Amino acid sequence: MPETTMTPEEFRETTNRIAEAMRRVIDGKEHAIRSSLVVLLAEGHLLLEDVPGVGKTMLARALAASIDADVRRIQFTPDLLPGDVTGVSIFSPANREFEFTRGAVFANIVIADEINRSSPKTQSALLEAMEERQVSVDGHTHLLPDPFLVVATQNPLEMDGTYALPEAQLDRFMMRMSMGYPDAQAEALMLRQRDTSNPLTQIRPVVTLDGISRLIDFAHRVHVSTLIEQYAVSIAQATRSHPDLRLGASPRATLHLVRAAKAWAALQGRAFVIPDDIADLARSVFAHRLIPTRTAAAGRRAADPIPRIIDEVVQSVAVPLADR
C-alpha cells in the first residue's frame, strides 16, 4: 500500500506526463492512450485487436517505456511452450534439488505480442497469472510483481496459423480496443518523424513504480454510489436476457466496468463516477465478452452486431438520478 496519499493535482500532473510521453510515439490516438491508462490504473489487462501495422505493439511499448518498471515482451509463436511463459524447475547439481527459474511473465508489464499465434496450451499459461496474479509450477505457487499488467495484441483477420482465444481468457481482459487507421495528417507526420529515428528510443520513464502504485490507489478511492453500482449491474443483466445474445456479460465484466469507470473518472478530474462513465465504457469492456446468436450474426453480414446490441442495452436501462 502506498505510504503517502496522492493529491488530485499530483494525479493529474503525473497522468498527463505519461500521456504526453506516449503521444511522442502514438500520433492522433488520444482515446487509445487514455484507454490504456484506464486499464493500467484499474489493474486490468488490455487486448489490442486490429489489422497489422496500425501501432498495436507501439502503443504497448510506449506505455511500458514511460514507466520505470520491469517490462518483458513475449513473441507468441506456435512453438512457444507454457514453461517459457511461467518458468520451469531445473535440477541443480550443486544443491541436488530442483530450483525454479522464472519465466517471462514475471514482470510488471508483460507485452504478449500476437497472442493468438501460440497453442491453446500455451495461452492457458496466462489464465492463472491474469486472474490471480500468481503462477503454480510443480505444486508451488509463485506470486507475480505488483502492479501487474498484460497488454496483448492480435490480428482479427488472419486465421492461418492462429488459435482463437477461448471465452475464459477473453473474459480476463478488462478492455478490448482497436487502434484504427491514422488520419492523413498523423500518417504524414509519422513519415517525417520516423524516417531517420525511432521515437521509442527517445522516451524516458516519467513515473516510478511507487508512483504507479500511488496512482492506482488514488483511482481505487474514487467514489461509486449505490445507484451507479446498480446501474452497472442492470446493464450487465440486460445483456444476459437480450434476444440477440447467447452469451451475456459475466459478473467479472461488471466488476471490470466499475473499476474502469473509477479510473476514467479520475482521469477526468472527478472524485466520483457518473452514469456517463459507465455508459461510455460499456462497449470497450463488454464487446469482447458477448456472443451473438446465429440469427443476429447472419442478419447483418456487413457489420458486427455487438456494438449495436450494446447500444440498445444501454439505452434500454434507466439512467439513475442523483439523490435529493
Side-chain angles (χ1 to χ4, degrees):
M1 195 76 170
E3 296 181 357
T4 58
T5 301
M6 177 172 283
T7 65
E9 292 74 19
E10 289 177 313
F11 180 89
R12 190 179 308 110
E13 178 185 355
T14 305
T15 53
N16 284 341
R17 283 193 283 117
I18 297 175
E20 183 59 34
M22 296 177 67
R23 290 189 196 103
R24 299 174 188 172
V25 179
I26 307 299
D27 302 314
K29 296 295 180 183
E30 188 64 24
H31 180 73
I33 292 174
R34 288 289 171 177
S35 295
S36 63
L37 279 175
V38 165
V39 176
L40 173 66
L41 299 178
E43 294 190 291
H45 305 291
L46 178 63
L47 177 61
L48 299 172
E49 184 179 80
D50 215 324
V51 297
V54 294
K56 300 186 298 296
T57 304
M58 290 290 281
L59 175 68
R61 294 180 64 187
L63 176 64
S66 64
I67 300 170
D68 187 13
D70 190 12
V71 180
R72 300 280 182 89
R73 178 176 179 270
I74 308 174
Q75 181 63 54
F76 278 71
T77 55
D79 59 348
L80 188 73
L81 299 176
D84 298 327
V85 177
T86 61
V88 294
S89 295
I90 300 176
F91 183 75
S92 171
N95 299 328
R96 294 184 176 276
E97 62 181 16
F98 284 91
E99 296 180 352
F100 179 68
T101 301
R102 294 184 171 189
V105 78
F106 283 86
N108 297 113
I109 299 179
V110 177
I111 302 174
D113 215 0
E114 297 185 292
I115 189 173
N116 58 335
R117 288 200 172 277
S118 65
S119 67
K121 184 176 182 180
T122 301
Q123 291 178 12
S124 67
L126 282 174
L127 290 175
E128 181 184 13
M130 294 175 66
E131 179 64 18
E132 302 176 41
R133 299 174 186 269
Q134 65 182 32
V135 295
S136 299
V137 178
D138 295 335
H140 297 280
T141 299
H142 307 273
L143 298 179
L144 294 171
D146 186 34
F148 176 69
L149 168 69
V150 173
V151 182
T153 70
Q154 70 172 3
N155 175 8
L157 299 178
E158 187 178 2
M159 298 302 176
D160 293 339
T162 63
Y163 304 85
L165 297 181
E167 300 306 320
Q169 186 155 5
L170 284 174
D171 196 48
R172 281 163 167 77
F173 286 100
M174 175 173 283
M175 284 189 186
R176 182 185 66 180
M177 184 175 63
S178 296
M179 297 288 293
Y181 291 109
D183 57 36
Q185 183 178 0
E187 192 166 1
L189 179 62
M190 178 192 69
L191 294 177
R192 291 193 298 270
Q193 290 181 337
R194 303 181 188 181
D195 187 39
T196 57
S197 63
N198 183 353
L200 273 173
T201 61
Q202 302 173 11
I203 294 184
R204 296 293 180 267
V206 297
V207 61
T208 64
L209 200 59
D210 178 66
I212 288 296
S213 296
R214 295 175 66 204
L215 289 173
I216 292 172
D217 178 64
F218 185 95
H220 281 176
R221 290 185 286 107
V222 171
H223 176 68
V224 182
S225 70
T226 303
L227 290 175
I228 296 296
E229 290 176 343
Q230 186 56 51
Y231 181 52
V233 170
S234 297
I235 292 176
Q237 289 185 331
T239 65
R240 299 165 195 165
S241 59
H242 196 284
D244 289 340
L245 292 175
R246 59 188 179 96
L247 179 65
S250 67
R252 184 191 286 122
T254 313
L255 178 62
H256 283 179
L257 178 59
V258 173
R259 286 180 177 175
K262 292 170 70 173
W264 183 259
L267 289 173
Q268 306 304 313
R270 283 183 278 104
F272 53 90
V273 174
I274 61 176
D276 283 350
D277 298 329
I278 299 292
D280 291 343
L281 292 171
R283 270 199 188 189
S284 298
V285 176
F286 282 0
H288 59 290
R289 310 169 193 262
L290 308 182
I291 299 180
T293 61
R294 292 184 178 180
T295 302
R300 301 189 179 190
R301 297 180 184 275
D304 180 4
I306 294 299
R308 169 185 60 82
I309 294 172
I310 294 177
D311 290 344
E312 290 177 358
V313 166
V314 172
Q315 292 171 8
S316 69
V317 176
V319 178
L321 300 176
D323 294 331
R324 296 293 183 182

